[in-house]
Amino acid sequence: MPDLMPSTPSTIDLAPPEIGQRLRLLSYNVQVGIGSTRPHHYFRDSWQHILPHPRRFHVLDRIAEVLSGYDVVALQEVDAGSRRTGFVNLTEYLALQADFPFWYHQRNRDLGKIAQHANGLLSRYRPTEIVEHKLPGLIPGRGALMVRYGTSDAPVVVLLVHLSLSRRARCQQIAYICEVVNTYEHVVVMGDLNCELGSREMNALFRRTPLREPLDRHHTFPSWRPMRNIDHILVTPGLGVRKSHVLHHAHSDHLPIAMEVILPASVQLPA
């Protein structure tokens, strides 16, 4: 295992509630802390994808306040430490600001000093295993981070993903994810999938795995006028869902999506 470094809710019942440990999940595409909250910000702030700006950490501090209320957080569009962030690892920074004892980043595209594109994990529970998966695609640079909690006979597996913009690549990536999901009984898939419910890719995911489609379509993009449901938290049937909702905190061009699940009585996550 790699080394570990230290709204308006809509209540849904995707599975009968069980008496078990509750786990608060959050997925957030944080846009490297640029904080685009209007269409013209893409043009006004585009230089921040390359160069540093002190406002970035003001935005990240506000994001950390949102993250602090959750147990497991999947981050997309973080930087593992390059010129544009003052060589600060943003996953580590958010973990420290939000007081998470465990964090891990998956570097997916290494552009040297210019940018270090990564996915990030923040966790209040110690994982028993972390595995990095490189996802297929014509252009390399997409990954899935598999995080296992609990014992080997009854684990909960959380898969953190950020899929491609290309539909062809997403279909290949979904096929890969299906193989990983079907290896385990209790699975959570969370992240920016860049496709909506009803799409060919999502239909294939639900058809080929036990992952369930949520009852509500949670629109997360763009944050200033959310019309697309491309950020998702999906679970297998053994996990009870208490509530699922979007948080209306516009600190990025995406809104964060949250879910509270109840683990089976056989699964206990030690701190």
Side-chain angles (χ1 to χ4, degrees), residues 18-233:
E18 297 183 46
I19 298 175
Q21 190 173 2
R22 296 192 180 192
L23 196 62
R24 298 164 298 174
L25 307 171
L26 184 81
S27 179
Y28 202 174
N29 182 323
V30 299
Q31 199 200 13
V32 207
I34 293 176
S36 298
T37 56
R38 293 291 185 272
H40 69 275
H41 292 175
Y42 282 125
F43 303 98
R44 186 195 70 183
D45 300 332
S46 60
W47 59 273
Q48 292 187 44
H49 286 283
I50 301 173
L51 298 174
H53 191 281
R55 179 179 176 272
R56 187 187 311 270
F57 290 93
H58 172 69
V59 172
L60 291 168
D61 288 345
R62 295 172 68 188
I63 289 174
E65 293 176 6
V66 176
L67 307 183
S68 63
Y70 293 87
D71 299 315
V72 177
V73 175
L75 299 171
Q76 304 90 51
E77 292 195 24
V78 287
D79 191 283
S82 65
R83 182 181 293 114
R84 62 181 176 175
T85 65
F87 299 98
V88 173
N89 185 316
L90 297 190
T91 304
E92 179 183 18
Y93 182 84
L94 289 169
L96 293 173
Q97 295 302 109
D99 199 26
F100 280 87
F102 306 108
W103 64 272
Y104 189 81
H105 73 263
Q106 178 189 25
R107 185 183 290 107
N108 293 314
R109 189 172 294 148
D110 185 347
L111 300 181
K113 294 182 179 180
I114 297 174
Q116 296 281 319
H117 299 280
N119 295 331
L121 162 75
L122 309 180
S123 181
R124 302 208 179 279
Y125 299 97
R126 182 187 294 275
T128 53
E129 183 182 29
I130 295 179
V131 179
E132 294 188 15
H133 292 272
K134 295 296 184 183
L135 295 177
L138 182 62
I139 301 175
R142 298 288 179 171
L145 194 60
M146 191 192 83
V147 185
R148 187 163 69 177
Y149 294 96
T151 60
S152 58
D153 56 335
V156 170
V157 170
V158 181
L159 201 62
L160 288 59
V161 298
H162 188 188
L163 301 189
S164 294
L165 295 173
S166 159
R167 168 174 280 184
R168 180 177 180 182
R170 286 198 304 270
C171 288
Q172 296 174 335
Q173 292 161 4
I174 288 290
Y176 185 101
I177 288 169
C178 288
E179 294 185 12
V180 177
V181 170
N182 288 332
T183 306
Y184 302 94
E185 181 180 3
H186 305 303
V187 183
V188 177
V189 174
M190 53 196 299
D192 178 357
L193 274 61
N194 269 316
C195 54
E196 302 188 65
L197 295 175
S199 66
R200 182 197 313 169
E201 307 93 292
M202 296 297 287
N203 288 341
L205 183 63
F206 295 132
R207 185 175 63 251
R208 297 170 60 181
T209 73
L211 290 169
R212 294 167 295 165
E213 181 175 356
L215 298 180
D216 298 320
R217 293 181 179 234
H218 295 309
H219 296 89
T220 57
F221 183 85
S223 59
W224 54 88
R225 191 181 176 188
M227 297 180 292
R228 301 188 62 200
N229 61 310
I230 60 176
D231 298 276
H232 303 276
I233 302 179

